Amino acid sequence: MSDRVSRRRFLGTVAATGAGAAAAATAKAAPVRPPGRHGQERVQKVATHCEMCFWRCGVIAEVSADGRVVRLEGNPDHPLTKGRLCARGNAGTSLLYDPDRLKYPMLRTGKRGEGQFKRITWDEALDVLADKLKTIKEQHGPEAVGFFPHGIGARFMGTLLKAYGTPNSVEPSFAQCRGPRDVGYLLTFGRPLGSPEPLDLEEAKLVVLIGSHLGENVFTSQITQFATGLSRGAKLVAVDPRFSTAASKADWWLPIKPGTDIALLLAWMNVLIAEGLYDKEYVDAHAVGFEELAAHVAAFTPEWAEPITALPASQIRETARAMGAAKPAVVVHPGRHVTWYGDDTQRARAMAILTALLGSYGRKGGLFFPTPVPKGDFELPDFPDSDKGRADGAGEKYPLASEEMGVTNGLVDATLSGKPYPIKAWIVYAQNVLESIPQPQQTLKAIESLDFLCVVDVMPVDQVAYADLVLPEATYLERYDAPLIVNSAKAPFVSVRQPVIEPLYESKPGWWIAKELAKRLGLEAFFPWATPEEHLEKTIEPMEINSLELRTKGAVAFAGRPYIEDRTEDDLPLFNTDSGKIELYSQALKDLGADPLPLYTPPEEPPAGYLRLIYGRAPMHSFARTQNNATLHGLMPENEVWLHTTPARELGLKDGDRVRLENADGVTSLPVRVRVTEGIRDDCAYMVHGFGQRSKSLRRARDRGASDTQLMTRVKVDPLMGGTGMRVNFVRPVKEA
Ligand code: SF4
């Protein structure tokens, strides 16, 4: 971030590139290029979609005559991403040709963690896995197998394990990411937000970011729409304890005291209602519980919120009035990674209620409605019911947790405790559970207690060294996945992922692994298709599109019904709540014994001498997945820790010094460089997530920078949906000698 980059220049850059601070590496596709640019004639272009993060932008891959992928470009025909790729998307070939890739199936020969393996054949590997699954089923029941998937590549394995009989599938994208948000909006509007978030950023007159650092957190279409909106004159409120890239371009930067966002949201609602600035007509027509809400927020004035949030009451009032003036074209960005303080569902509820007061849901410039796309399905046998139920607490201990996505930390707890029943094996698919789930010390203990750990991945991520069996998955450029159907775009669409080249080494696509396992487990009936092309044909059958057209273009869009006035009889009721209306007051929460309206509860304060650890993203990295990528490593080889000048001075630290961070439980990070800045509150330390990985087989990423996850020895669990609040850890920098 540079304070010297003007708002105008930022907007121009982002509008042109769609990647904010990643501008240098982002470009709009040029449809025709002369051959021979890389010294090889390009003979083929293949459309697919990116998996360098989960946004799945449209890609055109260029393949040379000798079968090498020489270039990735944005697909100009893609309805959402329109020819743009970010730095990571452009670096997909560096994943494909990473020499550290997992290359063949491997069986552990040494102790867990030593990383000693022998190469085996796929037949041997699949026999080992199938035999293990059969034995566990006989001895403990199928529920004793836990599945940790990530991404659409894991869907076929998900089907297989459902057919096998385990309900224990858990994804960090729920309990460590967007779960509270989806639950909060589901309670309020009757549907979760989904991904991508249905935000009408291009048409917005005012955008509110609460802890969302767009520009550093880059998804090409969202950042492009955001920049377009700002360039058309939208105002920006950035609520963030750190002077993020977005904050540097904002009309109002609100450097809030961490953990007090609900107080700010309540005060904003207070002003909107007290000053009659809310959308009365919309609320009267579409919402229930306004009287209760008005009574609830009456005492939560900006003056009440000022000492809590450390924001001036005048600024709270001014920003509320700006929202009232811009309504309904206001996007209160719901955020994405929102598992912060354990009251996250209630914070999401407060954001949803604010959105409703502004009349912004289903309105131009606010949030829009999704439009379902019909999908063809094969007739499958019934999936078996589990007598034992889930082990992770979803639906019981955590009543509002998604049973589709589960509670990762709940399954880790069950593995450690053996309650409600023993968990004997995990299959971890395309994620680094030691980086994606907090309290990795507990996760490691759980892994060590397992009879069997199978890891399916492209790269030798941290837990591979602990695996009994390692299966090398083909990258997204070498495989088919299930077609992607996106309902939550203004124009919904279907997009294809298809192989650009044959899988390298002995890697295999997920669909093949699942089908081969199904044969060994007698579950072929759940895979009644011979080829992924046949699966694709069936899925798109009701869409009345031609599969050749889809495979050529990469994606096909359909007409959307984004705004209230576009909705048809088929879309009624507009809101799928019990009342059929927006529920400002939630009877569902009341019935669960929870607060039916959001309440502020103070967060724990840092102990003397400690700073609150906050964390975020950089535009050139995705989670902990890209740090070994040669191109992206070149752009950002390690992270740094942001410290305010005051604590830095007190500790005798200057820019560029190296420190270790020690948390309040005595856990210490790897050395990390200090960035001394006025652009962060003096009670916080900030790092980009995903660094400090320990796998010996990741030759570039290993031991570079510090891991925020390693320092997360404490969590505050959201009692409603089981998500782990992670901004509850405190660190002190200790200077390296
Ligand atoms: S935002 Fe970047 S990394 Fe993510 S899918 Fe798009 S191009 Fe790929």
Side-chain angles (χ1 to χ4, degrees):
M1 182 190 69
S2 162
D3 304 0
R4 292 185 296 278
V5 178
S6 71
R7 176 183 164 109
R8 196 162 152 206
R9 188 171 143 210
F10 169 79
L11 297 181
T13 304
V14 174
T17 65
T26 311
K28 186 157 185 176
V32 181
R33 287 181 189 282
R37 186 165 158 180
H38 293 263
Q40 300 138 314
E41 186 187 1
R42 290 184 201 127
V43 295
Q44 204 186 1
K45 290 189 176 193
V46 183
T48 187
H49 54 248
C50 182
E51 196 182 51
M52 294 299 285
C53 85
F54 48 78
W55 206 252
R56 297 162 194 145
C57 302
V59 170
I60 302 286
E62 297 185 9
V63 186
S64 67
D66 62 359
R68 258 185 98 76
V69 181
V70 291
R71 186 177 178 83
L72 301 175
E73 299 240 334
N75 178 356
D77 290 333
H78 192 279
L80 187 66
T81 57
K82 297 178 181 152
R84 291 189 166 88
L85 291 185
C86 77
R88 298 159 296 168
N90 277 292
T93 49
S94 297
L95 169 69
L96 179 64
Y97 298 118
D98 191 324
D100 291 347
R101 266 182 70 171
L102 295 169
K103 298 183 178 71
Y104 29 75
M106 298 189 297
L107 199 60
R108 181 163 63 84
T109 53
K111 288 193 189 138
R112 282 224 164 108
E114 285 182 349
Q116 303 290 323
F117 295 97
K118 69 172 180 183
R119 179 177 177 172
I120 57 174
T121 66
W122 269 103
D123 269 341
E124 287 168 325
L126 292 164
D127 287 347
V128 166
L129 181 51
D131 287 349
K132 202 73 202 177
L133 289 172
K134 282 181 196 162
T135 306
I136 289 173
K137 193 174 199 170
E138 278 163 22
Q139 294 180 350
H140 306 281
E143 299 87 349
V145 175
F147 182 43
F148 291 74
H150 188 263
I152 54 175
R155 284 190 194 164
F156 293 114
M157 184 65 92
T159 302
L160 178 88
L161 289 169
K162 235 166 118 180
Y164 165 80
T166 179
N168 291 317
S169 176
V170 291
E171 302 185 32
S173 47
F174 184 78
Q176 278 71 49
C177 193
R178 55 192 170 90
R181 167 196 102 171
D182 284 348
V183 172
Y185 282 68
L186 175 67
L187 285 164
T188 312
F189 296 112
R191 62 174 67 80
L193 288 170
S195 180
E197 297 83 33
L199 311 177
D200 204 5
L201 286 159
E202 285 171 311
E203 304 291 345
K205 292 186 182 154
L206 190 143
V207 177
V208 182
L209 300 179
I210 301 179
S212 288
H213 45 288
L214 295 186
E216 290 154 285
N217 195 13
V218 167
F219 315 118
T220 58
S221 57
Q222 191 169 92
I223 192 76
T224 306
Q225 290 157 2
F226 174 53
T228 303
L230 295 188
S231 66
R232 288 178 180 170
K235 302 275 189 220
L236 176 62
V237 179
V239 181
D240 200 319
R242 187 177 63 94
F243 193 57
S244 63
T245 302
S248 74
K249 314 305 163 204
D251 297 273
W252 294 273
W253 173 40
L254 277 57
I256 193 167
K257 179 175 174 182
T260 66
D261 311 82
I262 293 179
L264 172 64
L265 288 156
L266 291 170
W268 274 340
M269 291 181 215
N270 170 289
V271 177
L272 289 174
I273 293 174
E275 299 189 11
L277 298 172
Y278 71 100
D279 192 331
K280 184 169 186 326
E281 202 179 317
Y282 178 96
V283 168
D284 287 350
H286 298 298
V288 294
F290 177 76
E291 294 306 322
E292 292 91 334
L293 174 68
H296 179 72
V297 301
F300 301 136
T301 61
E303 288 69 25
W304 164 81
E306 178 174 304
I308 295 172
T309 58
L311 300 171
S314 58
Q315 198 178 38
I316 297 173
R317 192 164 270 113
E318 186 184 333
T319 44
R321 287 174 181 161
M323 284 182 230
K327 73 175 184 302
V330 180
V331 172
V332 179
H333 195 300
R336 197 158 176 110
H337 167 81
V338 292
T339 42
W340 298 349
Y341 300 102
D343 56 358
D344 305 301
T345 301
Q346 291 290 5
R347 189 181 63 253
R349 274 268 299 152
M351 293 165 79
I353 294 169
L354 177 66
T355 297
L357 283 179
L358 294 164
S360 302
Y361 195 103
R363 308 287 286 284
K364 192 171 177 181
L367 276 63
F368 53 80
F369 286 102
T371 308
V373 175
K375 170 177 174 292
D377 282 317
F378 289 93
E379 269 190 36
L380 301 184
D382 290 339
F383 289 103
D385 282 332
S386 164
D387 297 336
K388 294 181 180 171
R390 301 186 65 102
D392 63 351
E396 292 187 9
K397 182 176 179 188
Y398 307 118
L400 299 180
S402 159
E403 296 202 27
E404 196 60 37
M405 301 176 79
V407 181
T408 45
N409 36 301
L411 195 57
V412 172
D413 292 346
T415 306
L416 285 168
S417 68
K419 291 181 181 150
Y421 50 79
I423 301 294
K424 296 292 180 184
W426 288 3
I427 298 176
V428 179
Y429 200 115
Q431 61 163 303
N432 183 340
V433 285
L434 295 171
E435 283 291 329
S436 59
I437 305 172
Q439 299 181 304
Q441 300 81 2
Q442 299 294 99
T443 308
L444 202 50
K445 268 192 210 158
I447 285 175
E448 281 166 349
S449 77
L450 293 170
D451 286 356
F452 189 72
L453 172 65
C454 172
V455 175
V456 187
D457 214 308
V458 171
M459 297 300 297
V461 295
D462 287 338
Q463 76 269 357
V464 163
Y466 298 85
D468 297 277
L469 179 68
V470 181
L471 302 181
E473 196 198 16
T475 69
Y476 70 97
L477 294 167
E478 303 162 304
R479 65 173 201 246
Y480 276 104
D481 281 337
L484 175 70
I485 298 169
V486 174
N487 298 322
S488 60
K490 254 192 198 170
F493 64 91
V494 60
S495 163
V496 71
R497 176 168 287 148
Q498 57 187 333
V500 175
I501 59 169
E502 288 298 308
L504 297 178
Y505 316 112
E506 289 184 18
S507 66
K508 292 285 185 189
W511 66 264
W512 182 90
I513 298 171
K515 263 179 84 73
E516 289 297 314
L517 264 179
K519 283 183 204 162
R520 286 163 171 81
L521 294 169
L523 299 171
E524 301 100 310
F526 290 89
F527 296 86
W529 39 273
T531 64
E533 290 90 342
E534 191 188 328
H535 181 271
L536 171 68
E537 291 286 349
K538 181 73 180 178
T539 309
I540 65 173
E541 202 172 68
M543 299 176 197
E544 297 176 356
I545 57 171
N546 178 322
S547 72
L548 182 62
E549 181 195 357
L550 176 60
R551 292 183 58 190
T552 307
K553 284 186 166 174
V556 173
F558 307 95
R561 302 186 295 280
Y563 305 130
I564 285 180
E565 58 270 25
D566 304 321
R567 304 304 271 182
T568 65
E569 286 290 311
D570 293 342
D571 297 319
L572 295 176
L574 289 172
F575 302 102
N576 298 324
T577 54
D578 288 345
S579 63
K581 300 235 174 179
I582 300 169
E583 300 200 341
L584 304 175
Y585 177 95
S586 173
Q587 188 61 43
L589 283 177
K590 174 89 174 154
D591 293 345
L592 286 170
D595 293 328
L597 289 159
L599 266 177
Y600 165 70
T601 46
E604 194 186 336
E605 296 291 332
Y610 285 81
L611 305 165
R612 185 180 298 276
L613 178 63
I614 58 175
Y615 49 84
R617 306 265 182 241
M620 62 291 279
H621 285 293
S622 297
F623 313 122
R625 291 165 67 101
T626 54
Q627 283 73 12
N628 205 62
N629 180 296
T631 306
L632 302 174
H633 175 87
L635 291 173
M636 184 179 180
E638 59 185 60
N639 57 356
E640 51 189 9
V641 57
W642 290 39
L643 299 178
H644 186 268
T645 45
T646 303
R649 193 173 47 244
E650 287 167 5
L651 292 164
L653 293 171
K654 59 182 187 319
D655 227 24
D657 281 351
R658 289 211 166 246
V659 296
R660 288 179 193 260
L661 297 175
E662 182 185 295
N663 79 3
D665 295 317
V667 171
T668 305
S669 75
L670 292 174
V672 59
R673 220 176 39 233
V674 169
R675 174 175 181 169
V676 178
T677 172
E678 293 283 330
I680 187 166
R681 280 177 52 95
D682 62 9
D683 53 359
C684 297
Y686 170 83
M687 287 196 295
V688 170
H689 169 76
F691 289 86
Q693 295 181 45
R694 306 310 302 266
S695 170
K696 289 179 190 153
S697 305
L698 294 172
R699 285 174 285 180
R700 282 188 205 88
R702 183 191 176 194
D703 294 347
R704 297 300 299 266
S707 164
D708 55 327
T709 310
Q710 282 292 325
L711 295 165
M712 291 174 186
T713 47
R714 300 177 187 185
V715 294
K716 197 148 183 224
V717 176
D718 188 318
L720 292 169
M721 48 65 69
T724 46
M726 296 185 249
R727 297 194 175 174
V728 296
N729 290 279
F730 307 111
V731 294
R732 66 186 187 95
V734 180
K735 193 171 180 178
E736 280 285 88

